[in-house]
Amino acid sequence: MMRKFITIVIMTVALMTLGGCQNDGHIGWLFGVWRVAEYTVDGTPQDNALIGTTTIAFQNNVVEVVALTDDYYSTYERFGSWEENGSTLTLDFTHSDDAQAPGTGSYAAPAWLGMTSSAPMVMTVSDRKGDGFTLTWETPQGITNVYKLRKTW
């Protein structure tokens, strides 16, 4: 009888720990970390050293953009929000907190990727595959930015 009780308790605990492993659940195909494999402006490849070290992570409704700035793992980190709607992805870097004005500090858009904190950016999602996808954003000035992202995990 005691052995059966212990087995039931162990199985119950095991099942409870398997229930959730991600904060606010799995968000679908965007979940995880994506590397910026290529960035072009009006068809011209950009060769900024930060581009090759930039990753974009999506979880819940938060987006984090990180770029390694040197060999000592110093980073630029930027936080915003995102929303997917069909074939569009909106990135918003206009947020603030008690210490930072909207769109500044860690809430500033990643300028090395040509992004802006002045308004949310509506991007078109294309070439979506399991290991990558393409984002295209046309600025209000008519400049076309294309980001090719590849899955890291």
Side-chain angles (χ1 to χ4, degrees):
M1 183 68 159
M2 187 62 146
R3 176 181 276 177
K4 186 176 181 180
F5 176 74
I6 291 174
T7 303
I8 290 172
V9 169
I10 290 173
M11 288 177 57
T12 301
V13 170
L15 287 172
M16 287 173 37
T17 60
L18 295 174
C21 62
Q22 298 165 358
N23 185 17
D24 288 330
H26 199 287
I27 60 167
W29 70 275
L30 269 174
F31 179 80
V33 180
W34 302 81
R35 179 179 59 84
V36 178
E38 185 179 330
Y39 167 48
T40 62
V41 176
D42 286 337
T44 304
Q46 302 300 295
D47 61 359
N48 181 327
L50 293 177
I51 294 167
T53 66
T54 298
T55 58
I56 302 175
F58 298 91
Q59 185 170 348
N60 193 359
N61 66 337
V62 176
V63 61
E64 176 187 27
V65 182
V66 176
L68 292 174
T69 60
D70 58 33
D71 293 337
Y72 303 103
Y73 296 100
S74 299
T75 61
Y76 291 135
E77 295 178 317
R78 301 292 187 261
F79 296 92
S81 61
W82 66 275
E83 182 180 347
E84 181 186 17
N85 188 3
S87 63
T88 63
L89 181 70
T90 302
L91 298 181
D92 185 354
F93 292 96
T94 62
H95 303 287
S96 64
D97 61 25
D98 291 342
Q100 299 174 25
T104 64
S106 60
Y107 298 107
W112 65 93
L113 293 176
M115 295 183 183
T116 181
S117 295
S118 62
M121 298 165 288
V122 179
M123 302 181 173
T124 303
V125 178
S126 61
D127 303 327
R128 188 176 140 193
K129 302 176 201 134
D131 67 340
F133 66 99
T134 301
L135 289 174
T136 304
W137 173 55
E138 187 170 330
T139 69
Q141 297 79 22
I143 299 169
T144 302
N145 294 271
V146 177
Y147 310 90
K148 293 187 185 255
L149 305 177
R150 296 290 170 255
K151 187 80 165 182
T152 63
W153 66 270

